[in-house]
Amino acid sequence: MTASILRKNTKAIVVGGKNGVNCVIIGGGRPVVIQTMWKDAIADEDLADGSILKRIKSLAELGAQMIRFAAPDIQQARVLGELASKTDVPVVADIHFDYKIALCALDYPISKLRINPGNIGSKERVRAVLEKAAAKGVPIRIGVNGGSLPLDLRAQVNSGALAVEEALVTAAERELAVFREARFENVCVSVKASSVAQTIAANRLLAERTDVPVHLGVTEAGPLIAGVARNAAALYTLLCEGIGDTIRASISGDMESEIIAAREIIGSVYERGVNAENNVNTGVRLISCPRCGRCGFDTHGFTAKWQNYLYSLKKNITVAVMGCAVNGPEEGKRADLGITGAGDKTLIFKKGVVVRTINKEDADEAFKAELDGL
């Protein structure tokens, strides 16, 4: 029996949408939005050959609904602004320390700002950003994390007088109060820690105190294996409790891994029936054998080769990559399409029934043909 857990009812904000199309709605009971963050600095020459735009397109096809870029100085804010004018994928400018960088970014068609109350500056500077963002119709995320709390809250945490989760939420509430004073409601908020337990506790507390849409993530979650594990533990828990409107699976790895991890976390939640009727983050479900001594098929190599292509498809199917003919078709019998091997032969099966037996060198071509036919 599936669970029936409803998402917390939050306000909705609209991100992007040039000429009224390709917009992303965060909150309001809508499906959870997936985002990632660009891993490198960007410069004018990066735009010249179109490689960034090509990568952005492939990330969007894989499942990223918005992409955040660091803008550490005015020059990179300008480059980011030029980039935003060349893509329909919502571009988010991540601003720290200098509010003037945020003002510069708002001269361009960026889709969203992220600022941190621990380092962006005085209320007057925040209000200057809010006024311009309001005029441009650009939403803002208040991003609070344990490493950049306001000084007074940081001191209380360090002395043991205040729990990290309470400090995170207090910082967010202070900034939300400034936004309310300025009558700026086009806002979402995040409270992140590198600790799974603190991230869960902080977001539970935040959800009790506000109806502003919430972005989830574990900050500095670690390398691929540790990062996926920590994000899964925190985000799955919160999403199953109805908390969270958009997520990033922060990983010290490539953006593609972040997107796939986020998709799998969301998919696992929806398997439990959590708001499943509104889930648009569907697509290929890939299962694969971990491999053992009786392996007759290179599951690792085949999965690595096909993974990103499969996740970019808009097909609601399960694909199984199995290690041997003994268990392959049987273990993957519920898969719409599967592949395994025995000796010098490769077997392709559907719903557990072998439909093609071919030479290993023909495996990719045959697999693609069967995949296209689904």
Side-chain angles (χ1 to χ4, degrees), residues 124-270:
E124 290 70 24
R125 292 178 176 182
V126 173
R127 289 193 186 100
V129 174
L130 296 182
E131 288 177 6
K132 192 165 185 177
K136 298 282 187 175
V138 175
I140 296 177
R141 171 161 71 91
I142 299 170
V144 185
N145 59 54
S148 55
L149 285 168
L151 292 177
D152 65 318
L153 295 176
R154 196 181 313 171
Q156 291 181 65
V157 169
N158 292 339
S159 69
L162 191 65
V164 170
E165 53 267 29
E166 183 68 41
L168 291 168
V169 175
T170 298
E173 289 179 315
R174 287 180 183 177
E175 200 71 5
L176 284 170
V178 176
F179 279 46
R180 283 194 298 272
E181 288 174 10
R183 298 185 179 180
F184 189 95
E185 298 184 357
N186 203 7
V187 59
C188 65
V189 66
S190 65
V191 287
K192 298 182 181 180
S194 56
S195 158
V196 170
Q198 290 171 351
T199 297
I200 292 172
N203 280 280
R204 283 172 173 165
L205 189 60
L206 181 70
E208 292 175 359
R209 298 184 181 180
T210 181
D211 61 356
V212 170
V214 173
H215 169 68
L216 296 180
V218 178
T219 191
E220 297 114 16
L224 182 62
I225 296 174
V228 170
R230 291 166 184 158
N231 275 285
L235 275 54
Y236 178 84
T237 299
L238 291 165
L239 290 172
C240 282
E241 294 177 8
I243 299 169
D245 302 286
T246 174
I247 69 171
R248 176 196 174 197
S250 174
I251 297 168
S252 298
D254 59 48
M255 293 177 284
E256 288 80 4
S257 294
E258 290 194 350
I259 297 164
I260 292 171
R263 284 183 55 172
E264 288 296 333
I265 292 168
I266 293 171
S268 296
V269 174
Y270 284 119

Side-chain angles (χ1 to χ4, degrees), residues 226-358:
V228 170
R230 291 166 184 158
N231 275 285
L235 275 54
Y236 178 84
T237 299
L238 291 165
L239 290 172
C240 282
E241 294 177 8
I243 299 169
D245 302 286
T246 174
I247 69 171
R248 176 196 174 197
S250 174
I251 297 168
S252 298
D254 59 48
M255 293 177 284
E256 288 80 4
S257 294
E258 290 194 350
I259 297 164
I260 292 171
R263 284 183 55 172
E264 288 296 333
I265 292 168
I266 293 171
S268 296
V269 174
Y270 284 119
E271 281 183 0
R272 295 190 60 200
V274 182
N275 215 34
E277 69 279 5
N278 289 330
N279 181 26
V280 296
N281 296 306
T282 53
V284 172
R285 180 172 183 260
L286 177 60
I287 61 174
S288 61
C289 172
R291 206 165 76 181
C292 69
R294 66 170 180 264
C295 182
F297 185 71
D298 184 8
T299 58
H300 294 185
F302 190 87
T303 301
K305 183 191 302 182
W306 281 89
Q307 174 180 268
N308 288 358
Y309 178 79
L310 289 169
Y311 275 104
S312 69
L313 296 177
K314 308 305 179 187
K315 295 185 177 185
N316 295 323
I317 59 173
T318 297
V319 173
V321 182
M322 310 305 287
C324 66
V326 175
N327 292 327
E330 181 62 23
E331 290 180 352
K333 66 182 179 181
R334 295 179 181 175
D336 299 282
L337 179 65
I339 188 166
T340 188
D344 61 351
K345 296 296 182 181
T346 294
L347 285 65
I348 295 178
F349 56 92
K350 296 179 178 179
K351 299 295 185 181
V353 177
V354 175
V355 294
R356 295 182 72 167
T357 302
I358 52 180

